[in-house]
Amino acid sequence: MILYRTADALYVEQDGKLYRLVENSLDALIAHDKLHSHLSAHIAKSSPTGDLVHTKLEAPIGNQEVWASGVTYYSSRRARIAESKDAGGGDFYDRVYTAERPELFFKAVAHKVAGPNSHVKIRRDATWSVPEPELTLLINPRAQIIGYTVGNDMSSRDIEGANPLYLPQAKVYDRSCALGPGLLIRSEPMPSSTQIKLDILRSDQTEFSATTTLTELKRDPATLVEYLFRDHTFPYGCFLLTGTGIVPPDSFTLASKDEIRITIEGIGTLTNTVE
Ligand code: DO4
Ligand code: MG
């Protein structure tokens, strides 16, 4: 089942049918101790409503912080070693790829997150910007993975490549993170065959397209969550992006008006346009 948020209400979709929820607090749902059964019970006693085709979806987030993992795919390790070679940073990416402790970094607070069919931004002081399509975990306050969504960890490669210590500036700015379109509520892990696809369209033509699967993800999501919650409380739960396995060629940089489409099997497509 998938939860969607609009400006007025929350909805759950199951088997192609949509149901409006009585609650309108996503925070309360995320903190619920039996969310899946709670939503199933609601569906069983409700009648479906019309679809959301003409309704604007909001980012499916309440008061959660958004965190991200880095260098969890070989392709991310390889690209980052190359882009930071001149700055002497390459070795750090190799070390973190093989280390027991993963790279985790703060990405966004809710009000900076872009929702589906809205704009993401590239920094005005960046010359080399890319989207990072990432499976995103929804974690409740008790450190349990209760769902998944599609995430875009927009990144300024030239800024991070100049010095890895610039990572927060390369990664954290207004609308540098997009989430959506909805939250797949599922406590079992996603199948390793799950595909993640990135399409970038420029003037309606495909400028870049690539696919990866979760087989390439080196870290177990449960281990990433265990590290994130060490001596760290999240009273509203949180989101954790799991890293990118798709890096466009070095010649590619995003431009204003590019359309970014990220599709994760079983969850949906997150579409954003570059402002
Ligand atoms: O190490 C810097 C960030 C890595 C990242 O965002 C990724 O691998 O997805
Ligand atoms: Mg990333």
Side-chain angles (χ1 to χ4, degrees):
M1 62 181 66
I2 302 194
L3 268 179
Y4 293 101
R5 186 169 85 89
T6 69
D8 306 326
L10 294 166
Y11 295 84
V12 61
E13 186 186 72
Q14 172 147 286
D15 301 329
K17 295 196 181 104
L18 192 71
Y19 304 83
R20 186 176 170 145
L21 296 181
V22 189
E23 304 87 343
N24 46 26
S25 162
L26 193 54
D27 291 345
L29 287 179
I30 291 172
H32 200 286
D33 60 354
K34 289 198 177 65
L35 180 56
H36 199 282
S37 355
H38 173 70
L39 296 174
S40 299
H42 175 77
I43 290 170
K45 60 173 197 246
S46 314
S47 306
T49 164
D51 60 38
L52 290 173
V53 175
H54 299 294
T55 311
K56 186 178 173 326
L57 292 177
E58 302 290 333
I61 187 167
N63 279 301
Q64 293 69 39
E65 295 174 22
V66 183
W67 283 71
S69 325
V71 201
T72 52
Y73 289 78
Y74 192 79
S75 45
S76 175
R77 169 200 169 277
R78 191 184 47 221
R80 292 190 146 87
I81 288 177
E83 81 195 8
S84 63
K85 193 167 48 37
D86 295 344
D91 191 36
F92 288 102
Y93 295 105
D94 187 37
R95 287 189 198 198
V96 83
Y97 183 72
T98 50
E100 192 178 327
R101 182 187 291 276
E103 178 196 357
L104 298 175
F105 59 91
F106 178 77
K107 179 68 185 174
V109 288
H111 72 89
K112 297 188 185 180
V113 172
N117 308 310
S118 68
H119 291 101
V120 287
K121 282 196 175 191
I122 50 182
R123 288 184 67 112
R124 76 179 124 98
D125 56 356
T127 56
W128 187 15
S129 299
V130 290
E132 295 193 349
E134 307 191 9
L135 175 72
T136 300
L137 314 176
L138 168 63
I139 309 156
N140 72 14
R142 295 172 296 286
Q144 295 160 327
I145 301 173
I146 55 163
Y148 300 88
T149 190
V150 182
N152 179 357
D153 170 25
M154 292 283 287
S155 298
S156 316
R157 290 189 68 184
D158 57 319
I159 296 178
E160 184 188 335
N163 189 321
L165 295 179
Y166 294 152
L167 187 81
Q169 293 176 75
K171 295 282 192 178
V172 183
Y173 55 91
D174 292 342
R175 305 186 83 82
S176 70
C177 178
L179 295 177
L183 303 172
L184 171 69
I185 303 305
R186 170 190 171 107
S187 33
E188 309 80 49
M190 293 294 281
S192 59
S193 58
T194 302
Q195 277 202 352
I196 302 178
K197 184 167 191 274
L198 170 65
D199 294 292
I200 302 171
L201 284 81
R202 189 164 291 167
S203 309
D204 293 327
Q205 304 290 317
T206 301
E207 186 74 15
F208 175 77
S209 180
T211 303
T212 187
T213 70
L214 292 180
T215 326
E216 305 300 317
L217 175 59
K218 184 170 183 276
R219 305 270 180 179
D220 174 17
T223 309
L224 295 173
V225 173
E226 194 274 314
Y227 269 96
L228 182 60
F229 275 70
R230 282 190 191 183
D231 292 301
H232 205 176
T233 43
F234 295 93
Y236 299 105
C238 65
F239 288 89
L240 178 59
L241 284 77
T242 55
T244 187
I246 299 178
V247 183
D250 292 356
S251 55
F252 177 86
T253 185
L254 282 170
S256 176
K257 300 195 173 67
D258 281 357
E259 184 174 302
I260 304 163
R261 290 187 196 158
I262 304 172
T263 304
I264 303 187
E265 241 183 323
I267 308 177
T269 300
L270 171 65
T271 304
N272 295 102
T273 306
V274 177
E275 189 172 294

